[in-house]
Each structure stands twice: as C-alpha cells, then as structure tokens.
Amino acid sequence: MKKLFAEFFGTFWLVFGGCGSAVFAAGVPDIGIGLLGVALAFGLTVLTMAYAVGHISGGHFNPAVTFGLLAGGRFQAKDVISYVAAQCLGAIAAAGCLYIILNGAGAFTTEGPGAFATNFYDMPGYHNRSYSMGAAFLAEFLLTAFFLIIIMGATDKWANGKFAGIAIGLGLTLIHLISIPITNTSVNPARSLSQALFVGGIAMSQLWLFWVAPILGGITGGLIYKFLLQGAADEPLAE
C-alpha cells in the first residue's frame, strides 16, 4: 500500500504542479511563465517526487512508464494494474483540486484547444498551427520512447543513481519544450485522462491517442534499452 500511496501522491503532484502551472500561470499578464515555465514545472514535479518517494515505489507516476519498465524487465506484471489505478486516481484528484480552485475565480472553461491543460490534435486555431493525428501520434510515441530510455539508463545499476532524478526531470522538461506546441504534451495517459474528464467533448473523444501512443512508446523504449543498450557497461570500451 505504501508503494501505491507513493504513486498516488507522486502523480497528484505532477498534475497539480504541471497542469496547474499551465492553467494558472502560463498566460498571466506581465508575469506569465509561458512555454518554458510550464515545461520546467512538469520537470520539477517529477524531479522533486523522484527524490521524495521514488525510493518507495520506483517513482513511475505514469502508466506509460509502468508499461515501459515492465517491457524492460524492471517491473512485475502483477503490480501493473494497481500502479496504473493509483496513478489515475492521483491525477484525477489533482485535476479536481485544480477545478475547484479555478472555479473559485469563475475562470474554468471548456472552450478552445488545450482548455484546462487538455491534450489535443487536429484542432485549427492553436497558434495558427494544427498538427494532424498522425503527427501527434508520432510525437507522443517517440518522446515517450526516449523518456523510457532516459529513465532506464539513469537508473541502471552502472549509472550514478544519485543523479537519476535530475536526468529524468530535465528529460521531461525537454520533452515539454518540444511538444507543448504539438499536442500540449501528454507522454502520460493519467495526466491526459484527468484533465479530459473535466472538459469532456472533444478532449474525451481524442483521449485514446494519449493512451495508446505513450504506452506503445514506453514499451518500445523499454525494449530498446533492454535488448540494445542494457549491459553495455559490462563490455570493454573500444581502444
């Protein structure tokens, strides 16, 4: 249960801090943190919780990471469902808190692409650019795959584990810098689910992509590291 609580609170913090920064602070006149600030906020949530509770649960905070670590041989199949459930519940609880706070100012809206920090694709009107479903799928797939490679490499027994949280947090920051303009960045099905539940409509109808692409990407990244990269430290360096 401690592992599940760690996943619940870690995912809660990721959604509350990351999506909260997008909802409350990204576009504030004069002091808005913008794309860079939101990207950094998501990275900081993972970095801080990796050190706070990562030693308890492994610090997944993301169903795609759980499936990726399973594929990479770092996680047991019997715990997948309970981990994913804890992550989704934590994300939904955080989104509920964001909704209550935002509604306190009468500012909650479901209008427009990315409302309430939802993910989206093929919706004209977002910065005069709309990415297709295929482009969104590829971006989410590739970025999640590389996220898993970063996670597995940073936590490898041959790596310096003390700095794993920094590498993973900065990796997620970079991912958001790349893909916020494309899909508003998911790479995390729980994070996508929690926001879409409150917005409904198109956000819910497009939610499938933000489950399928990140999970397939996570599995691919886990397999790539396991079969192509893992164990390389045992081999002598070429002279």
Side-chain angles (χ1 to χ4, degrees):
M1 288 303 297
K2 288 183 179 180
K3 292 180 180 180
L4 298 183
F5 278 125
E7 287 297 302
F8 176 93
F9 288 116
T11 314
F12 182 104
W13 188 237
L14 185 151
V15 170
F16 191 83
C19 294
S21 68
V23 168
F24 298 124
V28 177
D30 300 326
I31 60 169
I33 61 175
L35 182 149
L36 178 59
V38 174
L40 187 58
F42 271 100
L44 288 173
T45 62
V46 170
L47 188 156
T48 51
M49 275 296 159
Y51 288 110
V53 300
H55 58 286
I56 299 172
S57 67
H60 299 192
F61 318 141
N62 181 340
V65 171
T66 298
F67 277 99
L69 292 177
L70 173 68
R74 301 274 189 92
F75 195 64
Q76 296 180 316
K78 67 180 181 67
D79 293 326
V80 168
I81 293 177
S82 58
Y83 261 54
V84 171
Q87 292 156 1
C88 289
L89 289 173
I92 293 169
C97 292
L98 292 176
Y99 172 81
I100 293 170
I101 296 170
L102 192 61
N103 231 16
F108 178 79
T109 179
T110 61
E111 299 298 323
F116 199 50
T118 49
N119 301 115
F120 61 90
Y121 59 86
D122 197 20
M123 292 181 69
Y126 182 72
H127 292 307
N128 299 316
R129 182 180 296 175
S130 176
Y131 289 87
S132 68
M133 179 180 70
F137 194 101
L138 181 60
E140 291 288 330
F141 175 87
L142 287 174
L143 292 170
T144 314
F146 274 92
F147 192 39
L148 260 294
I149 292 172
I150 293 169
I151 291 171
M152 293 191 68
T155 57
D156 195 294
K157 66 179 180 179
W158 297 104
N160 190 332
K162 293 181 180 180
F163 298 102
I166 297 174
I168 294 167
L170 289 178
L172 189 61
T173 298
L174 176 58
I175 285 169
H176 279 77
L177 288 173
I178 297 168
S179 58
I180 285 177
I182 304 173
T183 62
N184 225 19
T185 310
S186 172
V187 301
N188 186 336
R191 166 261 188 275
S192 297
L193 170 67
S194 63
Q195 306 309 115
L197 281 175
F198 286 85
V199 173
I202 293 176
M204 285 298 295
S205 69
Q206 294 186 346
L207 183 61
W208 69 270
L209 186 146
F210 302 107
W211 272 79
V212 176
I215 288 176
L216 289 179
I219 291 171
T220 301
L223 292 173
I224 288 173
Y225 193 85
K226 180 179 180 179
F227 291 109
L228 299 182
L229 300 172
Q230 190 166 275
D234 293 319
E235 302 170 4
L237 296 175
E239 295 183 358

